[in-house]
Amino acid sequence: MENIIIDEEFKRILPKLDEQTYAWLEENVLEYGCREPLVLWNGILIDGHNRYSILQKHNLPINTVDMEFDSRDEVLIWIISTQISRRNLNPLQLSFYRGMHYNADKKIVTNKVGRKRHVENEPKNDDEAQNVPHQKSPSTASRLADQYNVSHMTIKRDAQLANAINAIGEISPDVKMDILSGETHITRKQLRKLAHGNDEDVSEVVDKIVNGTFESGKGGSGAGSGSTGTDNFKPWEIQFSKMTNEFRHILRNYAKDDDTESVRSTLKQYIGMLEELYQSI
């Protein structure tokens, strides 16, 4: 199967296997064969990159199966869902994949809305068809929040995090892999700040990581003058206070006493917020 195509974008979003795990996989393939076929989309490998390199290395037969998708974004979502269901991912990898899923899903929704508007703007002879009311569908963040059992704000923060990590990967794929694997530590706060920066900011961080001069802080130093009323608070205490206020607002405005499901949904969002705070400390 010399015509198998390796797509670098798809390959770069996969978790990096450590040497021991790769060696175990290679030993397993050599002893028992490759029991799962490699998955292709239009000739592009979308699942089985490590197995493919092992099969090539030892000149072993390669079995493949083809899947159909309408776009690269749909392929991306399938890859992400497969990785999440298959692997024991660390918290940063989970956030990265959720953010990638959100960004890809947003593109799909935007494209569908654009096509729908194009059709709706075409001349119609049926007056009744033009008067059909539109039903408002849940936002992408809300749908994914339910799917991953986190809050919708967590999904949006994950999207910022994913954008920053991918920007780093554009400059250095190795640094990106090291960040996701935990070999290089950078806080979520630093990543989200980087998501709002420019190319020069990203390049500077990558250079410092490569040179070993990057400092990953658990909390930032205060900036500006004057008392804010939280000068003696730890960063996580400030974040917890903001999060609690946000939860109270959601509970007061969206959860109904006589609707158990709305209360449960609100509590689930709060649990997601607590989980993110726990992971950031």
Side-chain angles (χ1 to χ4, degrees), residues 36-40 45-49 51 78 82-83 86:
E36 295 184 18
L38 309 182
V39 183
L40 305 179
L45 183 62
I46 61 174
D47 184 56
H49 289 76
R51 284 173 285 144
W78 182 86
T82 300
Q83 295 302 318
R86 177 184 295 167

Side-chain angles (χ1 to χ4, degrees), residues 84 94-103 105-106 139-163 188 192 269 272-273 276:
I84 289 177
L94 280 171
S95 292
F96 173 72
Y97 280 135
R98 290 195 300 252
M100 289 282 289
H101 191 163
Y102 173 81
N103 290 333
D105 213 330
K106 284 283 287 184
S139 68
T140 302
S142 296
R143 285 191 292 101
L144 295 184
D146 290 338
Q147 178 177 335
Y148 290 113
N149 198 28
V150 297
S151 73
H152 72 284
M153 289 304 299
T154 295
I155 295 295
K156 291 188 175 182
R157 294 188 191 103
D158 288 341
Q160 294 178 347
L161 181 145
N163 289 337
R188 292 168 181 262
R192 287 195 291 265
Q269 291 186 45
M273 295 176 189
E276 182 177 5

Side-chain angles (χ1 to χ4, degrees), residues 26 59 98 111 149 155 175 188 198 211-212 232 253 256:
E26 183 173 21
N59 197 28
R98 290 195 300 252
N111 291 335
N149 198 28
I155 295 295
V175 170
R188 292 168 181 262
N198 52 38
N211 296 330
N232 295 324
N253 290 277
K256 302 176 182 178

Side-chain angles (χ1 to χ4, degrees), residues 73-127:
D73 290 311
E74 290 188 6
V75 176
L76 195 62
I77 291 173
W78 182 86
I79 294 174
I80 290 169
S81 300
T82 300
Q83 295 302 318
I84 289 177
S85 65
R86 177 184 295 167
R87 298 178 182 274
N88 183 21
L89 301 171
N90 64 46
L92 184 61
Q93 288 171 334
L94 280 171
S95 292
F96 173 72
Y97 280 135
R98 290 195 300 252
M100 289 282 289
H101 191 163
Y102 173 81
N103 290 333
D105 213 330
K106 284 283 287 184
K107 289 182 182 179
I108 293 174
V109 170
T110 300
N111 291 335
K112 286 182 178 178
V113 170
R115 289 194 295 269
K116 181 179 179 181
R117 286 176 178 169
H118 176 75
V119 172
E120 289 176 346
N121 289 333
E122 291 180 349
K124 295 182 177 67
N125 295 323
D126 187 355
D127 294 334

Side-chain angles (χ1 to χ4, degrees), residues 12 50 59 73 114 123-124 133 142 192 214 240 243 263 265:
R12 284 198 299 266
N50 292 304
N59 197 28
D73 290 311
K124 295 182 177 67
S142 296
R192 287 195 291 265
F214 178 75
F240 179 74
M243 183 181 66
V263 176
S265 176

Side-chain angles (χ1 to χ4, degrees), residues 3-259:
N3 58 337
I4 290 180
I5 303 169
I6 302 298
D7 186 288
E8 290 301 323
E9 180 188 5
F10 293 155
K11 183 179 179 180
R12 284 198 299 266
I13 69 172
L14 300 173
K16 177 182 178 181
L17 290 186
D18 57 59
E19 293 183 4
Q20 183 177 1
T21 303
Y22 187 88
W24 175 87
L25 177 62
E26 183 173 21
E27 180 180 342
N28 188 273
V29 169
L30 291 176
E31 184 172 355
Y32 301 106
C34 189
R35 288 170 288 183
E36 295 184 18
L38 309 182
V39 183
L40 305 179
W41 170 65
N42 292 340
I44 301 173
L45 183 62
I46 61 174
D47 184 56
H49 289 76
N50 292 304
R51 284 173 285 144
Y52 179 55
S53 66
I54 292 171
L55 294 172
Q56 276 194 314
K57 176 182 177 182
H58 298 281
N59 197 28
L60 296 174
I62 299 174
N63 295 321
T64 65
V65 61
D66 294 298
M67 295 191 68
E68 295 184 3
F69 298 95
D70 292 333
S71 67
R72 288 180 62 88
D73 290 311
E74 290 188 6
V75 176
L76 195 62
I77 291 173
W78 182 86
I79 294 174
I80 290 169
S81 300
T82 300
Q83 295 302 318
I84 289 177
S85 65
R86 177 184 295 167
R87 298 178 182 274
N88 183 21
L89 301 171
N90 64 46
L92 184 61
Q93 288 171 334
L94 280 171
S95 292
F96 173 72
Y97 280 135
R98 290 195 300 252
M100 289 282 289
H101 191 163
Y102 173 81
N103 290 333
D105 213 330
K106 284 283 287 184
K107 289 182 182 179
I108 293 174
V109 170
T110 300
N111 291 335
K112 286 182 178 178
V113 170
R115 289 194 295 269
K116 181 179 179 181
R117 286 176 178 169
H118 176 75
V119 172
E120 289 176 346
N121 289 333
E122 291 180 349
K124 295 182 177 67
N125 295 323
D126 187 355
D127 294 334
E128 293 183 0
Q130 299 185 47
N131 294 325
V132 175
H134 295 286
Q135 293 184 347
K136 186 177 180 180
S137 57
S139 68
T140 302
S142 296
R143 285 191 292 101
L144 295 184
D146 290 338
Q147 178 177 335
Y148 290 113
N149 198 28
V150 297
S151 73
H152 72 284
M153 289 304 299
T154 295
I155 295 295
K156 291 188 175 182
R157 294 188 191 103
D158 288 341
Q160 294 178 347
L161 181 145
N163 289 337
I165 293 177
N166 283 329
I168 290 172
E170 290 294 324
I171 299 174
S172 174
D174 290 337
V175 170
K176 173 184 174 180
M177 288 294 186
D178 289 342
I179 289 174
L180 287 173
S181 67
E183 294 179 23
T184 295
H185 183 68
I186 179 171
T187 66
R188 292 168 181 262
K189 181 178 179 180
Q190 288 171 319
L191 285 169
R192 287 195 291 265
K193 181 179 179 181
L194 202 60
H196 297 290
N198 52 38
D199 294 342
E200 288 75 16
D201 296 327
V202 178
S203 296
E204 182 180 354
V205 168
V206 172
D207 289 341
K208 287 182 178 180
I209 291 175
V210 172
N211 296 330
T213 59
F214 178 75
E215 295 183 3
S216 174
K218 288 294 183 181
S221 58
S225 60
S227 174
T228 64
T230 59
D231 292 342
N232 295 324
F233 286 7
K234 295 182 177 64
W236 69 265
E237 291 178 298
I238 298 174
Q239 182 63 29
F240 179 74
S241 178
K242 293 179 180 178
M243 183 181 66
T244 302
N245 290 334
E246 181 181 352
F247 168 69
R248 287 172 178 165
H249 172 75
I250 295 173
L251 189 64
R252 186 180 303 113
N253 290 277
Y254 297 101
K256 302 176 182 178
D257 294 337
D258 58 347
D259 186 353

